[in-house]
Amino acid sequence: MVRSPRTSADKIVFIMTVFLTGATGFVGSAVLRQLLAAGNDVRVLARENGDRRNINGVPCEVIEGDLGDPNTYKAALKGCSGLFHVAADYRIWAPDAVAMNRINVDGTRDLLRLAAECGVERIVYTSSVATLGLNKDGTPSNEETPCSFTDMIGVYKRSKFLAEAEVRRLVSEESIPVVTVNPSAPIGPRDIKPTPTGRIVVDAASGKMPAYVDTGLNFVHVEDVADGHLLAYERGKVGQRYILGGENYTLLQILTEISDLVGLKPPSIKLPQNVLLPIAYFVESVSRLTGSWEPFVTVDGVRMSKKLMYFSSNKAKETLGYKARSVKTAVADAIEWYRSNGYLKS
């Protein structure tokens, strides 16, 4: 059984041993800190030669291993009451779909099965709003908006769609106790890579985005996403999924918000997506030939930008008690972190 939580100032407090993947990454590092603040002992999975800046000095047990090799983490799952599977191969552009599926699909299936075998009582799986359907009229979608595999643009979206389908199968056919969360586009501290969303903040705050395309996203503070993970663990229903989002903004609105906070003028040039497509094809071709760098604009990215990716978190708010702060706060916290860590000039 799941341990009954204590509550303090609206925060859920567990006392248990938890296994966490993805702690070295952006969302995972926020989940790690929330789990520790709630009083848990946390074991985190980290690759042997991976970047560990997000967990340096954090009081957690580090398990060296890889999602591609269950033997590297099997022993660490024993004695854990909960599993938070946040890790994923997250790249908008990837030349090798097989490698991405090996982590996002096969790695997820193997981890969840092994966790159940080791007696883990409850699992939270981190999916993405990328797996959800979009309304043609641009109104916010929810967990029930219909979509299919053919609606998925790009290898990342397709891999996460397949992974989520596999999770649903594990719940229904193998009775593995999984609750799924679907974060939108997170912003905030410790985005060390940075992620594609983080790049928007860094480039705009550096004055490197003089133009924009007519698109829209749902932005959310990364720490609210982390809170949502703990709420899903305690209050979520096995087999259900919950959107963890914030506010729906056009790209121009978010760029204006960023520009205002750093004292720059917002971009004034609007680029049609069809103008960018041939550039994206050319850049991708060069990247594939050289194999040494990631394209700054991708075909899939341009195609995705033609859609308004707006979402509603009402289900999580009503059933989990989920809350999200303003996008302005998220952007301000992100800029402060990027500036203090050398990504931006003072």
Side-chain angles (χ1 to χ4, degrees):
M1 296 291 292
V2 177
R3 288 171 171 79
S4 297
R6 300 196 309 268
T7 59
S8 175
D10 269 346
K11 297 287 184 179
I12 288 184
V13 181
F14 307 107
I15 301 295
M16 61 181 180
T17 301
V18 179
F19 191 81
L20 169 65
T21 71
T24 59
F26 182 32
V27 173
S29 67
V31 174
L32 169 62
R33 284 159 177 78
Q34 297 289 29
L35 286 169
L36 291 171
N40 302 287
D41 294 322
V42 186
R43 299 172 185 171
V44 304
L45 182 67
R47 291 192 299 272
E48 183 179 1
N49 298 313
D51 188 339
R52 298 189 184 182
R53 282 178 290 171
N54 271 341
I55 60 174
N56 284 342
V58 180
C60 59
E61 181 182 355
V62 179
I63 309 300
E64 287 194 352
D66 193 290
L67 279 174
D69 184 2
N71 291 323
T72 61
Y73 60 76
K74 181 177 180 179
L77 281 168
K78 295 178 180 178
C80 291
S81 300
L83 164 65
F84 288 78
H85 178 32
V86 184
D89 185 345
Y90 176 32
R91 292 172 290 158
I92 297 299
W93 184 83
D96 186 1
V98 174
M100 186 169 280
N101 285 344
R102 188 178 301 121
I103 296 299
N104 292 348
V105 183
D106 300 339
T108 295
R109 179 187 59 246
D110 294 343
L111 171 63
L112 268 53
R113 275 181 170 164
L114 195 53
E117 291 174 12
C118 291
V120 171
E121 300 165 3
R122 195 166 173 88
I123 300 166
V124 173
Y125 165 64
T126 309
S127 184
S128 167
V129 292
T131 67
L132 306 176
L134 297 172
N135 291 324
K136 292 181 180 179
D137 62 0
T139 56
S141 303
N142 60 33
E143 293 84 353
E144 304 304 320
T145 303
C147 66
S148 65
F149 182 76
T150 56
D151 296 321
M152 299 295 107
I153 298 174
V155 293
Y156 173 72
K157 282 195 172 191
R158 289 192 285 269
S159 72
K160 294 297 282 186
F161 185 91
L162 292 173
E164 196 171 322
E166 182 64 9
V167 169
R168 288 194 298 272
R169 189 194 66 77
L170 291 171
V171 171
S172 62
E173 296 182 11
E174 302 183 26
S175 299
I176 298 180
V178 188
V179 179
T180 297
V181 292
N182 300 76
S184 59
I187 299 174
R190 293 182 298 275
D191 189 2
I192 59 175
K193 195 172 183 179
T195 60
T197 309
R199 273 190 227 136
I200 292 174
V201 179
V202 172
D203 289 347
S206 302
K208 297 178 181 178
M209 290 189 72
Y212 66 96
V213 294
D214 188 14
T215 190
L217 295 165
N218 183 287
F219 296 94
V220 62
H221 199 298
V222 69
E223 291 174 4
D224 294 330
V225 171
D227 283 339
H229 278 69
L230 272 67
L231 289 166
Y233 184 93
E234 173 57 27
R235 302 173 183 172
K237 184 177 179 181
V238 168
Q240 293 289 308
R241 60 183 179 181
Y242 301 88
I243 295 172
L244 304 179
E247 296 180 277
N248 295 307
Y249 267 52
T250 65
L251 181 59
L252 179 58
Q253 285 176 319
I254 196 72
L255 294 177
T256 301
E257 196 77 72
I258 296 165
S259 300
D260 288 346
L261 283 168
V262 297
L264 295 174
K265 289 184 179 181
S268 57
I269 303 170
K270 182 169 131 179
L271 294 176
Q273 283 92 341
N274 289 338
V275 171
L276 290 174
L277 264 178
I279 299 173
Y281 275 111
F282 173 76
V283 172
E284 278 195 17
S285 297
V286 175
S287 178
R288 289 178 189 277
L289 287 172
T290 61
S292 58
W293 50 278
E294 185 175 340
F296 64 87
V297 60
T298 67
V299 174
D300 290 337
V302 174
R303 285 176 175 164
M304 282 187 280
S305 73
K306 292 184 177 183
K307 302 175 183 292
L308 289 175
M309 291 167 276
Y310 289 164
F311 299 94
S312 168
S313 300
N314 285 343
K315 180 179 178 180
K317 291 176 181 177
E318 293 168 3
T319 61
L320 305 181
Y322 172 73
K323 299 176 183 178
R325 67 202 81 180
S326 69
V327 168
K328 185 172 184 177
T329 300
V331 170
D333 287 351
I335 289 173
E336 180 182 355
W337 187 87
Y338 286 128
R339 183 174 285 137
S340 61
N341 285 273
Y343 293 76
L344 300 173
K345 294 180 180 179
S346 299

